[in-house]
């Protein structure tokens, strides 16, 4: 799914770590839609270490309007464990280089793991409850607005395009049918 999401996002925006909120919001909606699970966006601070200087984005509630936070996706499981997903992680290397940091190693892929399994020597996510609540309310209002901002239309286009791209692959199509997103083709009428 992440490759198809990345392809769809490239069609509506130039993806970068500066678009992490948009990328992970789109990813969160897709995960909820495709899995039926209650994934939620979480906002806070991020520190990334890849052998060089740490790169960080510290959340600041007084600068939420200026996007002074990082956004990722989480799902709380019944056993209390928290699953973390970050579709913007592949853009960390460019972010580090833009900030003059040394980056050792390849660009990371999507982060998708339980929080207790994340290597803090690679990245540390620190949630901020107040900023998370502000962002969730703003996103809810934007998606429910009778006149949503233009970017919401772009996000919805990326969601729909990702589903279209997934439908082109037989295994993904099978999953979409099971998830109730697509219907199996009926017998042809000849």
């Amino acid at each position: 799914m992440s490759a198809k999401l990345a392809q769809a996002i490239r069609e509506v925006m130039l993806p970068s770590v500066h678009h992490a909120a948009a990328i992970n919001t789109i990813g969160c909606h897709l995960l909820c839609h495709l899995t039926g699970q209650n994934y939620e966006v979480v906002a806070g601070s991020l520190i990334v270490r890849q052998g060089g200087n740490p790169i960080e984005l510290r959340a600041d509630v007084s600068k939420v309007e200026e996007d002074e936070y990082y956004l990722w996706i989480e799902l709380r499981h019944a056993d209390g464990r928290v699953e973390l997903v970050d579709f913007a992680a592949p853009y960390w290397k460019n972010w580090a280089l833009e900030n003059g940091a040394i980056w050792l190693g390849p660009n990371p892929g999507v982060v998708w793991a339980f929080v207790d399994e994340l290597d803090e020597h690679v990245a540390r996510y620190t949630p901020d409850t107040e900023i998370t609540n502000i962002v969730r309310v703003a996103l809810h209002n934007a998606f429910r607005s009778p006149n949503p901002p233009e970017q919401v239309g772009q996000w919805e286009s990326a969601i729909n395009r990702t589903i279209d791209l997934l439908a082109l692959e037989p295994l993904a199509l099978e999953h979409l049918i099971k998830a109730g997103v697509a219907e199996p083709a009926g017998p042809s009428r000849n």
Side-chain angles (χ1 to χ4, degrees):
M1 180 182 101
S2 61
K4 300 304 180 195
L5 173 60
Q7 181 180 344
I9 286 172
R10 281 192 304 272
E11 294 176 13
V12 297
M13 70 180 75
L14 179 63
S16 77
V17 78
H18 306 292
H19 295 115
I23 293 165
N24 284 320
T25 297
I26 292 166
C28 185
H29 279 272
L30 275 166
L31 287 172
C32 290
H33 194 63
L34 296 176
T35 67
Q37 298 292 314
N38 191 27
Y39 285 90
E40 295 184 297
V41 293
V42 176
S45 300
L46 172 71
I47 297 175
V48 177
R49 295 177 181 91
Q50 280 300 113
N53 302 337
I55 301 298
E56 58 188 296
L57 178 57
R58 294 225 176 254
D60 185 339
V61 73
S62 69
K63 295 183 180 180
V64 169
E65 293 295 324
E66 299 166 31
D67 299 324
E68 196 72 26
Y69 61 87
Y70 191 82
L71 190 130
W72 61 93
I73 305 163
E74 287 186 358
L75 174 66
R76 296 198 178 280
H77 289 261
D79 64 2
R81 294 185 77 199
V82 177
E83 180 181 344
L84 185 145
V85 183
D86 184 353
F87 290 112
Y91 309 107
W92 289 349
K93 181 175 183 177
N94 289 344
W95 177 43
L97 296 175
E98 287 170 8
N99 286 285
I102 297 170
W103 187 274
L104 304 175
N107 215 11
V110 169
V111 173
W112 200 325
F114 285 101
V115 169
D116 60 353
E117 295 173 356
L118 291 172
D119 184 353
E120 286 196 8
H121 296 290
V122 175
R124 184 173 62 215
Y125 296 83
T126 306
D128 183 294
T129 304
E130 186 176 1
I131 294 174
T132 297
N133 290 334
I134 291 168
V135 170
R136 286 179 183 170
V137 167
L139 288 171
H140 174 80
N141 291 340
F143 275 99
R144 303 291 187 272
S145 170
N147 297 311
E150 182 180 331
Q151 68 188 25
V152 171
Q154 293 174 334
W155 298 352
E156 289 173 339
S157 293
I159 291 166
N160 293 331
R161 180 67 175 136
T162 303
I163 292 170
D164 290 345
L165 292 168
L166 288 169
L168 297 175
E169 296 182 15
L171 289 176
L173 179 58
E174 186 178 318
H175 176 77
L176 293 173
I177 291 168
K178 287 179 184 175
V181 177
E183 294 183 18
S188 64
R189 297 179 183 174
N190 289 333

